[in-house]
Amino acid sequence: VAVTLRDVAAHAGVSSRTVSNVVNNYSHVSPTMRAKVQASLDELDYRPNLLARSLRAGRSGIITLLVPDLTIPYFGDLAHEVVERASELGYTVMVDETGGRPERERALLDTAARSSWVDGVLLSSLGLSAKDLAGLGRGMSVVLLGERTARSALDHVGIDNVAAARSATTHLLEGGRTRVAALGGSATRKDATTHLRLKGFRAALAAAGRPAGQHGPTPDYHRASAAPAVRILLEQDEPPDALLCFSDELAAGALRTLHELGLRVPDDVAVVGFDDADGSRFLTPSLTSVRQDRAEIARAALDLLLERIGGAEARARDVSVPWELVVRESSAACV
Amino acid sequence: VAVTLRDVAAHAGVSSRTVSNVVNNYSHVSPTMRAKVQASLDELDYRPNLLARSLRAGRSGIITLLVPDLTIPYFGDLAHEVVERASELGYTVMVDETGGRPERERALLDTAARSSWVDGVLLSSLGLSAKDLAGLGRGMSVVLLGERTARSALDHVGIDNVAAARSATTHLLEGGRTRVAALGGSATRKDATTHLRLKGFRAALAAAGRPAGQHGPTPDYHRASAAPAVRILLEQDEPPDALLCFSDELAAGALRTLHELGLRVPDDVAVVGFDDADGSRFLTPSLTSVRQDRAEIARAALDLLLERIGGAEARARDVSVPWELVVRESSAACV
DNA sequence: CTGTTAGCGCCTTCAC
DNA sequence: GTGAAGGCGCTAACAG
């Protein structure tokens, strides 16, 4: 049932070349001819086959966004920004989820590279090492989002996690907290995000002359993963009076768990999150969080990606995006 | 730089047909031949061009999911289920956002229909009338998610909004609440979701012999939109002692606003939400909500869509998916 | 079992 | 200013 360029040409009594010229608004077509062709176009309800066009052009106008999990509000927010910005730039976004699992990140990146469906990939990676990524990036335009994987060969956009964690920790110390603990991620596995944030956390404690803080690891950054770690931290002899959570999700889970334990926030325990997801200021108490400028991340990432797609061969670049500690009720100073 | 089937054929000294047979695991290829071709395949690192394959096959293996806004957790959750299920079925998902605006829903659906990029569309529509949709669905496989647009010509998957709203309202009345108000959406515009839920809400009140409840409309279903409406409802002479919110987002915003007004939940005001987003049980107090079975929605919707893609010409079907009122702290009975 | 051939629908170099 | 022809990379008839 599909109407092709040829059908229109036959209908209008011209060559397909001329129809193509009209469709693509090329010059060198006489007005009368243009009108005649346009009439046939309308009458037959012609729709260009973008598949064929892309095959011919060698590009699809599609980029893939790979995130761990869309049920995490931060990634929903990020996807929103990417879709919006890409749309402005004339690109469409395919979204896939990696679950944060390295093998799935690898497989999806590989599929993208092989398929030639997509012009480029935005990867919000959690688990891949720089070596993995280098091999996969071959022949495909890729920009990394989120963490700063050490010396990867790929472009990267993210915040300065060390500085942000340091600032948040200092904020808690200056609010009179004496036993700050970190919550989330894994110090042992190749979890670059947590590694860097722990670094900033410890630097702040050291700078203030405090003993090293504790770290409650979690298998992922979901709300549901906070509870066990929080309970372990609080069952100690000297339980923490402040929690630096490495995602807003974990922070929300921590708020809930503290409530169940009968502890008051911020009176007994202060809580700070990371990401400043849209919902965090609506929690009770409202959550202090490190805000990443997501719109700027999307903008910078797409700019880099489009340059790569355009054939830029520059060395890998590392764009640092602004962040800001947004102070709300959950970290009010103690008296 | 791309390696084509022909290149491999030349390298292996066979025809491209044979290479294609090997790549697609067809029979009728002798083992020795297969081995030889496979060697060339590996050596040249051949990657099939999916664009060309799709052009040839007449289908792309891509479906489009259109949702209002990925920053709303419910739609993030929904997208998650759709992506996961589609992946199981061998499909990839393109996600686009409509902002809930009818003209954008129309434009995106139109683009999808024209482009031949996509085999089918899942549309979580808010604003399009049945008439709009009928015209657009022409020639494209479309399944509607969410609300039950009156007598549309398209397949549809959703919950029974009337029954769910009725059940939630009855729950509040049975908990001893006497002045239940509804919150969210628009009774005036073509907001089918709100229309149906209001119907259930009013039916429950009528069945209990209560006067008609009030409705606080909101421009959208975001958290931030709850505050003004909640304040207006509570400034009245006889303020409500229970709020039936037409999304969890609105409920979360209401919880926050009530907290700011110094009202206790559930002691002074009970709150019920809709959707049971992943985060809602972590709110303080945890939120009572109407749970939609999202995995089942995704499954049913994709089944319907794939049947349409496969050429089924059946009349429009309407699949009703299970829902459940999940009772938590925010709607505890008053004493 | 394997090779040849003809398109899928589009765009574009080349002639006219 | 317009027409004819070829090919993007792949697969499916049709031989042999």
Side-chain angles (χ1 to χ4, degrees):
Chain A
V1 280
V3 179
T4 77
L5 218 48
R6 257 210 244 306
D7 298 335
V8 179
H11 182 98
V14 298
S15 83
S16 60
R17 168 66 210 267
T18 304
V19 180
S20 176
N21 279 340
V22 172
V23 170
N24 297 51
N25 251 323
Y26 281 1
S27 41
H28 302 308
V29 182
S30 70
T32 68
M33 178 61 69
R34 183 178 295 273
K36 190 170 73 174
V37 172
Q38 189 60 53
S40 296
L41 242 23
D42 292 342
E43 186 175 342
L44 297 179
D45 190 24
Y46 169 73
R47 312 166 168 204
N49 183 321
L50 268 55
L51 223 52
R53 185 179 280 179
S54 298
L55 176 60
R56 187 66 236 263
R59 58 177 288 280
S60 63
I62 292 184
I63 62 166
T64 292
L65 172 66
L66 298 177
V67 294
D69 187 341
L70 283 171
T71 68
I72 300 179
Y74 174 73
F75 291 113
D77 294 349
L78 182 64
H80 169 80
E81 298 292 346
V82 169
V83 167
E84 192 164 73
R85 176 71 181 146
S87 166
E88 288 171 18
L89 296 169
Y91 278 79
T92 312
V93 178
M94 295 199 5
V95 179
D96 247 316
E97 296 180 300
T98 65
R101 299 196 302 277
E103 72 277 9
R104 191 156 159 76
E105 292 182 350
R106 201 186 340 260
L108 286 172
L109 207 48
D110 199 44
T111 302
R114 293 177 173 285
S115 69
S116 67
W117 265 122
V118 299
D119 293 341
V121 177
L122 258 32
L123 171 62
S124 187
S125 173
L126 288 177
L128 286 184
S129 72
K131 195 166 59 180
D132 287 332
L133 291 168
L136 291 170
R138 178 174 307 287
M140 168 104 272
S141 300
V142 179
V143 173
L144 256 34
L145 302 179
E147 102 252 23
R148 182 189 309 258
T149 310
R151 237 181 310 162
S152 132
L154 300 173
D155 291 334
H156 167 264
V157 176
I159 66 168
D160 183 342
N161 277 303
V162 179
R166 183 174 174 145
S167 164
T169 308
T170 301
H171 160 70
L172 288 168
L173 295 173
E174 287 176 348
R177 308 294 167 170
T178 56
R179 295 181 308 282
V180 184
L183 179 76
S186 163
T188 59
R189 283 184 304 162
K190 305 278 158 67
D191 184 337
T193 306
T194 289
H195 178 73
L196 294 167
R197 292 179 183 174
L198 276 178
K199 202 163 156 182
F201 168 66
R202 287 170 180 149
L205 292 172
R210 307 294 176 86
Q214 301 208 286
H215 175 227
T218 60
D220 56 47
Y221 294 87
H222 281 69
R223 290 179 187 226
S225 303
V230 169
R231 286 176 189 274
I232 289 173
L233 284 172
L234 287 164
E235 272 170 6
Q236 301 171 64
D237 292 340
E238 294 208 327
D241 59 0
L243 292 175
L244 176 67
C245 306
F246 289 161
S247 83
D248 274 17
E249 290 296 286
L250 289 171
L255 288 183
R256 177 74 205 165
T257 305
L258 292 169
H259 176 73
E260 286 168 3
L261 291 172
L263 293 166
R264 310 190 58 129
V265 178
D267 312 71
D268 301 322
V269 183
V271 175
V272 171
F274 253 89
D275 298 339
D276 196 33
D278 279 347
S280 298
R281 73 172 187 283
F282 289 97
L283 294 172
T284 310
S286 58
L287 186 67
T288 295
S289 188
V290 174
R291 176 168 192 78
Q292 313 196 26
D293 187 336
R294 295 186 293 270
E296 189 53 36
I297 290 177
R299 174 183 309 275
L302 281 166
D303 286 352
L304 288 179
L305 189 62
L306 263 49
E307 280 181 38
R308 287 289 172 196
I309 291 171
E313 289 291 346
R315 290 208 351 264
R317 285 156 300 178
D318 209 318
V319 174
S320 200
V321 156
W323 55 271
E324 174 193 6
L325 181 69
V326 183
V327 178
R328 302 202 183 89
E329 296 166 358
S330 69
S331 69
C334 39
V335 268
Chain B
V1 281
V3 179
T4 77
L5 216 51
R6 259 210 242 308
D7 298 335
V8 179
H11 182 96
V14 299
S15 83
S16 59
R17 169 66 211 267
T18 304
V19 180
S20 176
N21 279 341
V22 173
V23 170
N24 296 51
N25 252 324
Y26 282 2
S27 41
H28 304 309
V29 182
S30 71
T32 68
M33 179 61 69
R34 184 178 293 275
K36 191 169 73 175
V37 172
Q38 189 60 53
S40 296
L41 243 24
D42 292 343
E43 187 175 341
L44 297 179
D45 189 24
Y46 169 74
R47 312 166 168 205
N49 184 321
L50 268 55
L51 223 51
R53 185 178 281 177
S54 298
L55 176 60
R56 187 70 178 84
R59 57 177 288 279
S60 63
I62 292 184
I63 63 166
T64 292
L65 172 67
L66 298 177
V67 293
D69 187 341
L70 284 172
T71 69
I72 300 178
Y74 174 73
F75 291 112
D77 295 349
L78 182 64
H80 170 80
E81 298 292 346
V82 169
V83 167
E84 192 164 73
R85 177 69 181 147
S87 166
E88 288 172 19
L89 297 169
Y91 279 80
T92 313
V93 179
M94 296 199 5
V95 179
D96 246 319
E97 297 179 300
T98 65
R101 299 196 301 278
E103 72 277 12
R104 191 158 160 75
E105 291 182 351
R106 198 182 347 256
L108 286 172
L109 207 48
D110 198 44
T111 302
R114 293 177 172 286
S115 69
S116 64
W117 264 122
V118 299
D119 292 342
V121 177
L122 257 32
L123 171 61
S124 187
S125 173
L126 288 177
L128 286 183
S129 73
K131 195 166 58 180
D132 287 332
L133 291 169
L136 290 170
R138 178 174 306 287
M140 168 104 271
S141 300
V142 180
V143 173
L144 257 33
L145 303 180
E147 103 251 23
R148 183 189 308 258
T149 310
R151 236 183 308 164
S152 132
L154 300 173
D155 290 334
H156 167 266
V157 176
I159 67 167
D160 183 342
N161 276 302
V162 178
R166 182 174 175 145
S167 164
T169 307
T170 301
H171 160 69
L172 288 168
L173 294 173
E174 287 175 348
R177 308 293 167 170
T178 57
R179 296 182 307 283
V180 184
L183 179 75
S186 162
T188 60
R189 282 183 305 161
K190 304 279 157 67
D191 184 337
T193 306
T194 289
H195 178 73
L196 294 168
R197 291 179 184 174
L198 275 178
K199 202 163 156 182
F201 168 67
R202 288 173 179 147
L205 291 172
R210 307 295 176 86
Q214 300 207 286
H215 175 228
T218 59
D220 57 48
Y221 294 86
H222 281 70
R223 288 176 189 227
S225 303
V230 170
R231 286 175 189 274
I232 289 174
L233 285 172
L234 287 164
E235 273 171 5
Q236 301 171 65
D237 292 341
E238 294 207 329
D241 60 359
L243 292 174
L244 177 68
C245 306
F246 289 160
S247 83
D248 275 16
E249 289 297 286
L250 288 170
L255 288 183
R256 178 73 205 166
T257 305
L258 292 169
H259 176 73
E260 287 168 2
L261 292 171
L263 293 166
R264 311 192 57 130
V265 177
D267 311 71
D268 301 322
V269 182
V271 175
V272 172
F274 253 89
D275 298 339
D276 195 34
D278 280 346
S280 298
R281 73 173 186 281
F282 289 97
L283 293 171
T284 310
S286 58
L287 186 68
T288 295
S289 189
V290 174
R291 175 167 194 79
Q292 313 197 24
D293 188 336
R294 294 186 294 271
E296 189 53 36
I297 289 177
R299 172 184 311 274
L302 281 166
D303 286 351
L304 288 178
L305 189 62
L306 263 49
E307 279 181 39
R308 287 288 172 196
I309 292 172
E313 290 292 346
R315 289 207 354 264
R317 286 155 299 178
D318 209 318
V319 174
S320 200
V321 157
W323 56 272
E324 173 193 6
L325 182 68
V326 183
V327 178
R328 301 203 184 87
E329 296 166 357
S330 70
S331 69
C334 39
V335 267

